[in-house]
Structure formats: structure tokens, C-alpha cells
Amino acid sequence: VGSLPGPPVGLPAALAGGLVARVDSRSSFVVAPPGVGDGMVPKETLGMDLRRLLDEAIDPDFEVEVQDEVIKTHKFVLVARSRYFASCLLTSGMAEAQAGRLVIPPGTPMTADAFRAFLRFLYTGDDILSMLAPHTAMYLVDAASFYGLSNSQLKHFCEFSVRASFNEAHILQLFEASSRLNVEGVRGMALDFIIANFQSVSRQPSLELLDKSLIIEIIKGVADKFPQSAAGSVEGRQSPEPRHGS
């Protein structure tokens, strides 16, 4: 029985053994396995290079129009990162594929700033954290599922950004805005926060300005939060007998 071939002659033992280089997050280098060069290898720059394609609009071949703004982008990134765009550009025969432009209709819960942040995530992944703000993140909470991304990382980033901005003074305005814009992900988080902090939120003057249907929804949510035992104890109480004068 023949033996398996060994590693190529001259290949360092560390690489032949399959050891992985360790990333040093404090520098722009990767700490290489023992026996490889001087121990320092430059980090990969794929994310930075792709970001430069987007930021400098280098040789774009597709456009997205949002709020009358035209954003230039690249089909290969859209197709690789989004099942929605893969279908739109490769298989559906949609007019957008022929025209090289997608127009996001007015009234859609999306802004130009939010779509630019979305593209930043498609191109560079978690580099979006450097530019993500709550007022843009609220439009992207549901984008991962709508655009068919391969994982929910963007959703988690946006939920974290939005939730970190919650406070009793502004949560009712956010609840109203997300309801009006049909941003269901943010709307649900805002409602949960209102119910959990109802005693303080209910004292806000903006509660009186809220639409009646939203107030009813909050009241129902607060009622559902009370345990049944507490409700039963209230129902079981009897009114005191009226006192009769002597």
C-alpha cells in the first residue's frame, strides 16, 4: 500500500500543518504562525477595496433612484449579496435589468441615506457600524428579509442601534412614525418598550396627540401584560355594603 504524499519540499512546517494566522486587532497586520517570515503579514483589504468602489463610484453599471437621488452601484455586488437583486437582474427579465436602473417608489419606507447605509453593508459588511444612526437604522430593520440577504446580521445591527436610542420622552413619536411608515420591526420594538415602561411613558404630553387607534393598541398591550391571577383577584372583590343610618 502506497503512502500519502508529504507536504511540498520547502513549505514551512507551520503552513503544512494547517495552522491559521492570528489577527492582531490593534494593528494593520496579521500575526503569522511560527516559522513564517518575520511573523507579521499585512491584513487583507477586500472590504476597504470594495468600499472604495462604492464611495468613488468606480466603473458602476447599475443605478438605484431613491427620493429623487441617483445612487450608482455594481451589479456583481448586488447579485452576490441579495437574492432580491439576483432575481431582478438575472432571472426575472424585469425592465429594471434592461434599463440598468431601479426606482424605489415614493411612499416606500426607505430614504436615500438609509439605502446608502444598506449598500455599505452589502459592500463591506460590519463596516456599516461606523455610519449607522437610529434615524437610518429604523428603515433597515426589515431590509434583510425584504432584499433576501443570506443572514440576519444587518437586522441585528439595526435593532441594536434603534433600541439603544429608546427613551420615555421620544418613544411615542417613534411609535407613531414607524406605524405611519409601516416599519413593522421598529413599530413592534417601540410598542414593547411603551408597554414595559408604561407608568413613565403615560405621563408624556405626546400621548394625548397620539392617534386613537394607537392608544387603544397600547392599552390592550398593557392589559395583556397583567397576569390573569391579578385580574381575577380584582374581579373577585365585592363592593362594600352601603352603610345605613341609624
Side-chain angles (χ1 to χ4, degrees):
V1 179
S3 60
L4 294 176
V9 176
L11 184 65
L15 292 182
L19 295 180
V20 179
R22 178 171 58 84
V23 176
D24 183 355
S25 60
R26 297 168 297 178
S27 70
S28 59
F29 291 90
V30 174
V31 180
V36 180
D38 59 4
M40 301 299 288
V41 178
K43 287 183 179 178
E44 58 88 13
T45 60
L46 178 61
M48 295 175 57
D49 294 337
L50 290 175
R51 174 181 170 180
R52 189 166 63 88
L53 285 180
L54 177 65
D55 291 346
E56 300 178 18
I58 299 174
D59 197 23
D61 56 3
F62 195 74
E63 297 176 345
V64 179
E65 182 178 332
V66 193
Q67 292 185 320
D68 297 325
E69 292 190 34
V70 176
I71 303 173
K72 298 182 181 298
T73 182
H74 302 83
K75 290 181 181 179
F76 81 93
V77 175
L78 300 179
V79 169
R81 298 279 280 153
S82 163
R83 289 187 293 271
Y84 171 88
F85 281 108
S87 174
C88 172
L89 297 175
L90 298 180
T91 62
S92 67
M94 293 174 63
E96 288 83 354
Q98 305 300 322
R101 169 180 285 207
L102 172 69
V103 178
I104 297 180
T108 302
M110 180 62 71
T111 66
D113 286 343
F115 195 81
R116 275 191 285 267
F118 173 69
L119 287 177
R120 173 70 71 85
F121 178 79
L122 294 189
Y123 278 73
T124 66
D126 60 7
D127 184 55
I128 190 178
L129 292 174
S130 64
M131 66 176 295
L132 197 60
H135 67 276
T136 56
M138 67 174 290
Y139 293 97
L140 299 179
V141 170
D142 298 324
S145 57
F146 180 84
Y147 287 104
L149 304 189
S150 59
N151 61 59
S152 57
Q153 188 180 48
L154 177 62
K155 177 181 174 68
H156 291 310
F157 286 158
C158 294
E159 285 181 346
F160 176 82
S161 176
V162 171
R163 191 178 289 112
S165 71
F166 284 176
N167 60 68
E168 290 83 351
H170 300 105
I171 192 64
L172 291 170
Q173 293 94 319
L174 183 59
F175 180 53
E176 187 278 330
S178 58
S179 299
R180 174 167 39 85
L181 296 170
N182 295 318
V183 185
E184 290 300 324
V186 175
R187 185 181 185 279
M189 288 191 296
L191 180 58
D192 290 343
F193 183 91
I194 292 169
I195 293 171
N197 301 274
F198 184 71
Q199 286 193 350
S200 55
V201 174
S202 63
R203 295 184 174 89
Q204 300 301 317
S206 54
L207 181 64
E208 299 178 6
L209 305 177
L210 211 58
D211 185 80
K212 179 181 178 181
S213 63
L214 299 180
I215 294 177
I216 292 175
E217 188 172 1
I218 292 173
I219 293 173
K220 288 181 177 179
V222 173
D224 290 340
K225 182 183 177 183
F226 288 113
Q228 293 297 320
S229 58
S233 63
V234 173
E235 293 174 359
R237 293 176 185 170
Q238 296 181 356
S239 300
E241 294 280 341
R243 299 179 61 184
H244 298 285
S246 55

